[in-house]
Amino acid sequence: MPNAVIVTGPGFQDHDVVYTYYRLLEEGWEVDVATRDGRAVTGKYGVPLPMDKTARPLVGFDRLDADAYDAVILTGGHEAPDRVRQDTRVLDFLRAMDAAGKVVAGLCHGPWIMVSAGVLKGRRACAYIGLRDDVINAGAEVVDSDVIVDEHIITCSYYAYVGRFMRAVFDTVEARTARTDTPAAA
């Protein structure tokens, strides 16, 4: 069963987190939600994390381990990604996920965290209009698109495209897992 972590903070874009969280569960994934020190936070429009009484406890940024996850989802909102990208534990985690070829996926303002981690250099990416200059300055080739998959790096320009974004996450993890599960030729 694949494992994912949604990394966020106070003021997150509520529908980004709600949709990605429940889609991951619907596909049978194990899902963690990580916040600074595992503290409960509230979204821009009042959605609380943890979201419901069946949700696993939030994990702190100090517990992020690239070996534990197949994908990291970086959701939007203006406030949460700006706060999260200032935490070196998250940036180190993203660099480790990237180095391991694990899926690093950013939605709307989520790629702001990818910019700060330095994982977009030399990549093709799409960007929300407010992040376009930052993504270009981070060394990415910005393409006008809804969703871009560049190997294991996935970007989505706006939350209206979250369905396509999540399909890209599922397909990319499945393809990467199939490659690593294939026995070597004798």
Side-chain angles (χ1 to χ4, degrees):
M1 174 177 323
N3 292 295
V5 61
I6 298 169
V7 178
T8 194
F12 61 87
Q13 189 71 30
D14 304 59
H15 40 281
D16 288 11
V17 173
V18 169
Y19 186 88
T20 58
Y21 177 78
Y22 287 112
R23 275 298 290 128
L24 288 161
L25 290 177
E26 182 180 41
E27 291 293 319
W29 287 44
E30 293 288 327
V31 184
D32 285 327
V33 177
T35 62
R36 183 185 310 264
D37 302 322
R39 279 188 249 141
V41 296
T42 303
K44 183 177 178 179
Y45 300 110
V47 169
L49 291 179
M51 261 186 282
D52 64 46
K53 65 183 180 182
T54 67
R56 291 160 48 161
L58 300 174
V59 299
F61 293 160
D62 59 325
R63 292 190 40 217
L64 294 173
D65 179 2
D67 291 335
Y69 299 105
D70 299 294
V72 56
I73 308 293
L74 305 166
T75 57
H78 181 266
E79 182 182 355
D82 191 37
R83 289 178 185 239
V84 169
R85 73 190 190 127
Q86 297 174 45
D87 194 302
T88 57
R89 297 169 295 182
V90 173
L91 303 182
D92 290 342
F93 169 66
L94 292 185
R95 290 181 197 113
M97 291 287 286
D98 179 43
K102 305 267 185 103
V103 169
V104 178
L107 167 62
C108 203
H109 275 81
W112 225 358
I113 307 164
M114 299 162 83
V115 165
S116 294
V119 301
L120 291 178
K121 186 176 177 122
R123 300 282 184 182
R124 290 178 69 246
C126 57
Y128 178 71
I129 188 67
L131 299 184
R132 185 177 179 83
D133 292 342
D134 294 326
V135 173
I136 290 168
N137 290 333
E141 174 194 348
V142 174
V143 178
D144 185 20
S145 183
D146 301 344
V147 177
I148 293 287
V149 178
D150 186 334
E151 296 182 16
H152 60 280
I153 302 292
I154 302 170
T155 50
C156 180
S157 60
Y158 189 60
Y159 58 75
Y161 314 125
V162 69
R164 282 176 254 170
F165 170 75
M166 289 307 294
R167 180 52 37 213
V169 169
F170 299 138
D171 292 348
T172 304
V173 168
E174 183 179 330
R176 297 189 78 72
T177 303
R179 269 188 272 165
T180 59
D181 290 344
T182 304

